Amino acid sequence: MTLDPVHFDGIAELAGRIDHGADERDRRAFAETVWEEFLDPLRQNGRIVLEPIAEQSRRLVDCEDVALTERPFPTEHGLDAGTINPTTFKNGLVIDVAQAAMSATPSDLELHRSRTAVMTVHSSDATASVDNEDWDRFDEETSRRRVIRIGRLDRFAEGVVHALALYLAESEHAHEHADAVSDLLVLDGPLYPRGLLRWADQHPDLADFLLEDPRPTTVLENYVRLVERFVERDVPLVGFVKNPATKAITRAVRETTDASAPWTNDAAMFTRLLERGEYVDDVDGERWERDTSALTYTNWFRSRAGVDRPLSVDGDALGIDRELPPEAYEVTFFVVYDPRDDLLYRIEAPYAVTRDRETRERLAIQLLQDVAVAHGPPTIVGKADELARISAPEKRSLRETLESRFETSQDRSYDEHRWLEDY
């Protein structure tokens, strides 16, 4: 059943009761003020949480021109992991399954075949156990797999089994095939496991879990060692974040300025700063007309804000020993705005990679060309996503198989019944 016109209009008219604050021109002006006065550097509680590497600037490249530019890195590899999402069974088990895959351009069929699979299981039943948590191989020795059990944390069971499966599969697969990468590795997502790093700030029980259980820190250590390994080989690695939802910068801006920062997250702020266009006359007055001819992007920044802090010079990396100077691991990033789809992407890399000006520029050109050509995230990232993704029918089939193995059934909700095709 659809909305009748009278109902549609009645709901839409509610918007007239809302005062949305400053007008569009004021918001754009405030964004310019933030850019000019507060980001070089941005401080929070006396700490520098954001600062430019070299000169702070906004730049643009014509979409067609950059698409035809010679590629600084002849080959690319992509890495992603997919899961079935946390599944609760009536016998009390909470399980998630992740598989990681690596893509290559030019294609490498043997590499594409390989997988790293991790199953994580939580049970509040003290008698439940896992016979063997060691790694073993399958699919004619091309792939690896492992199952691990998580105790305690009933309240956070779904989030914990999901994060550990996802990040363990991804990081182990990266190490398994690191030597296959000769020019550039692009992770589908952030450089470090944000979901895991966020635990320390979310709840005392999760913070205690990080201290008591060695597996979360082992997963983070995988990423630390991955950075060290690629730095030693002089091969860059970056994380391509398709949906940057960090709020650390806007939070620091609110604390630094007297005015309220009118953005829901950092991506909204950078979108406002990078969007180009002009006000044109319209039937109802004026409207903003966006220029879609060029990709716009910022300089590289060093970040010590939010969950970037643990791997910065201000953090302790959750107690993990770091072989390089602490600043080498710091998250650096630049953001790219694609006006064709009104979308913003964040590209991250360790400071050990981006401290060199030439490398920063080469990485920027490579990723800008990738976005221009793919009209979105780089093709290598999409390729890795396709390899690692577990489709909806496959998820249902896996869950049914698990039901049979455990002689139980999934603890379903009404939403899962109603929207069966999405699960």
Side-chain angles (χ1 to χ4, degrees), residues 266-281:
D266 301 344
M269 183 190 75
F270 280 114
T271 295
R272 183 73 70 200
L273 287 166
L274 291 174
E275 186 184 31
R276 298 166 60 246
E278 60 180 348
Y279 286 99
V280 297
D281 292 332

Side-chain angles (χ1 to χ4, degrees), residues 69-127:
T69 302
E70 183 178 354
R71 296 177 68 74
F73 299 92
T75 66
E76 270 185 327
H77 286 72
L79 181 70
D80 193 20
T83 77
I84 68 169
N85 294 328
T87 304
T88 302
F89 295 90
K90 290 180 179 178
N91 62 0
L93 294 179
V94 182
I95 288 178
D96 203 355
V97 179
Q99 71 158 352
M102 183 177 284
S103 59
T105 301
S107 291
D108 182 338
L109 296 182
E110 184 176 349
L111 177 67
H112 291 175
R113 175 181 175 179
S114 177
R115 299 287 190 275
T116 297
V118 175
M119 177 183 288
T120 49
V121 55
H122 164 83
S123 176
S124 54
D125 185 346
T127 64

Side-chain angles (χ1 to χ4, degrees), residues 246-263:
T246 58
K247 299 181 180 180
I249 298 173
T250 49
R251 190 180 300 120
V253 168
R254 288 191 185 99
E255 295 176 8
T256 303
T257 65
D258 294 331
S260 175
W263 307 293

Side-chain angles (χ1 to χ4, degrees), residues 410 412-423:
Q410 184 181 340
R412 291 177 174 83
S413 67
Y414 176 73
D415 282 346
E416 291 169 319
H417 170 73
R418 185 181 183 190
W419 309 111
L420 182 62
E421 65 274 9
D422 296 330
Y423 289 84

Side-chain angles (χ1 to χ4, degrees), residues 125-346:
D125 185 346
T127 64
S129 64
V130 172
D131 291 337
N132 185 358
E133 291 197 17
D134 294 334
W135 290 100
D136 70 331
R137 292 195 170 271
F138 66 106
D139 188 17
E140 298 180 350
E141 302 293 310
T142 64
S143 301
R144 300 169 72 218
R145 62 187 177 185
R146 182 185 180 188
V147 59
I148 58 176
R149 178 177 182 263
I150 307 298
R152 299 179 63 243
L153 293 173
D154 290 2
R155 180 179 173 186
F156 303 100
E158 291 189 354
V160 170
V161 298
H162 176 72
L164 287 183
L166 179 72
Y167 294 125
L168 182 60
E170 179 182 79
S171 59
E172 287 286 341
H173 201 72
H175 278 286
E176 175 83 356
H177 297 288
D179 291 340
V181 182
S182 55
D183 293 314
L184 174 65
L185 175 62
V186 184
L187 305 179
D188 187 353
L191 177 65
Y192 297 115
R194 284 183 170 274
L196 188 153
L197 290 169
R198 202 175 289 118
W199 290 354
D201 299 323
Q202 283 186 339
H203 195 277
D205 285 352
L206 282 172
D208 291 342
F209 178 63
L210 284 173
L211 296 174
E212 296 169 4
D213 194 302
R215 282 166 295 196
T217 49
T218 298
V219 172
L220 179 60
E221 184 175 6
N222 276 354
Y223 287 88
V224 170
R225 301 293 170 247
L226 191 68
V227 168
E228 293 167 351
R229 189 170 176 180
F230 274 74
V231 169
E232 181 180 4
R233 296 180 60 225
D234 196 26
V235 175
L237 78 159
V238 301
F240 190 94
V241 185
K242 294 179 285 192
N243 297 295
T246 58
K247 299 181 180 180
I249 298 173
T250 49
R251 190 180 300 120
V253 168
R254 288 191 185 99
E255 295 176 8
T256 303
T257 65
D258 294 331
S260 175
W263 307 293
T264 55
N265 53 37
D266 301 344
M269 183 190 75
F270 280 114
T271 295
R272 183 73 70 200
L273 287 166
L274 291 174
E275 186 184 31
R276 298 166 60 246
E278 60 180 348
Y279 286 99
V280 297
D281 292 332
D282 198 8
V283 176
D284 297 324
E286 286 186 331
R287 64 176 174 83
W288 176 259
E289 188 171 278
R290 187 167 62 245
D291 185 336
T292 61
S293 63
L295 300 178
T296 51
Y297 63 107
T298 67
N299 57 282
W300 287 85
F301 288 93
R302 295 173 68 174
S303 175
R304 305 181 188 106
V307 294
D308 292 338
R309 180 174 183 173
L311 274 302
S312 73
V313 292
D314 298 331
D316 66 352
L318 302 186
I320 295 167
D321 290 333
R322 289 174 280 186
E323 298 178 2
L324 302 173
E327 64 268 17
Y329 304 87
E330 285 193 325
V331 174
T332 67
F333 73 91
F334 77 101
V335 292
V336 178
Y337 175 66
D338 188 343
R340 298 170 297 181
D341 298 312
D342 191 23
L343 292 174
L344 185 115
Y345 307 109
R346 169 168 157 145

